[in-house]
Amino acid sequence: MRQLVIEPASGEDVTAYLRMRDEAAEQMVARGIVQWRPGELTEDALRRWAVDGEIFAARLDGTLVGGLFVMWSDPVFWGDRDDKAGYTHGLLVDRRLKGEGLGRRLLAFAEEHIRDSGRALSRLDTVTTNAVLRGYYRAAGYREVGERTFEGGKVLAHGAPIGAVTLFEKSL
């Protein structure tokens, strides 16, 4: 069995992650899924966005196959909260490995990392129109706890427009 290792990302990992993310975004756009857009996130923006969080790289037999971020606050999507949660963003698995359960293993890693920090909740979000990802998160034990709609053309720091996002939470 191949071994999955999840560890803090290096600078090279961030560059490779962004390349993989843009490839995934191109595939999503081609299928009509509006979640990520190619080129919307730059390496500099990613590093600024993740200042309060941690970036993790997932390697299978030494090869980068995905990653995610765990943050300790998320005021853009969740507002000011009680800090009893960790926030998972950017969950990404190389599309060639779809169906091998790596996404669930990354989620489990994030949940354990959040629990180990003394927090009782794992939170994440997705674009409301992404029914597939919403179902995936529900199947992973997350429950929908709200929706946040951004009006007036507000954009994220990296330039991506925001629409409605569905908020998910899981008790740890």
Side-chain angles (χ1 to χ4, degrees):
M1 181 175 184
R2 300 185 315 174
Q3 182 177 0
L4 181 69
V5 175
I6 304 169
E7 59 191 5
S10 69
E12 290 177 10
D13 292 330
V14 170
T15 301
Y17 170 90
L18 284 172
R19 193 170 34 254
M20 191 181 304
R21 185 184 189 275
D22 280 346
E23 289 172 8
E26 288 171 7
Q27 293 172 6
M28 283 188 250
V29 169
R31 292 189 324 246
I33 299 170
V34 181
Q35 180 73 36
W36 294 337
R37 291 155 194 85
E40 74 182 351
L41 188 59
T42 66
E43 196 166 326
D44 288 342
L46 174 61
R47 291 180 194 286
R48 281 193 311 271
W49 183 46
V51 165
D52 293 331
E54 298 180 50
I55 305 172
F56 293 95
R59 290 185 184 75
L60 197 56
D61 295 333
T63 301
L64 185 73
V65 295
L68 56 77
F69 320 113
V70 176
M71 305 170 92
W72 305 123
S73 67
D74 186 358
V76 171
F77 292 106
W78 286 82
D80 292 325
R81 298 283 175 141
D82 54 22
D83 292 327
K84 293 179 183 171
Y87 300 83
T88 300
H89 283 285
L91 177 67
L92 174 67
V93 173
D94 186 320
R95 301 310 308 156
R96 294 172 293 212
L97 300 171
K98 183 179 178 181
E100 293 192 24
L102 297 178
R104 289 283 177 93
R105 290 171 70 185
L106 280 165
L107 272 178
F109 168 84
E111 293 162 7
E112 183 178 337
H113 185 66
I114 292 165
R115 189 183 320 67
D116 289 350
S117 77
R119 291 167 173 85
L121 297 170
S122 178
R123 292 180 175 150
L124 46 78
D125 55 76
T126 186
V127 174
T128 298
T129 57
N130 192 337
V132 172
L133 195 51
R134 288 173 64 186
Y136 181 84
Y137 290 145
R138 282 192 299 269
Y142 286 80
R143 63 185 180 89
E144 294 184 18
V145 295
E147 183 175 284
R148 180 131 189 226
T149 303
F150 296 87
E151 298 177 19
K154 183 175 180 176
V155 296
L156 291 174
H158 55 74
I162 301 173
V165 295
T166 300
L167 306 174
F168 288 86
E169 187 173 87
K170 182 177 184 177
S171 294
L172 304 175

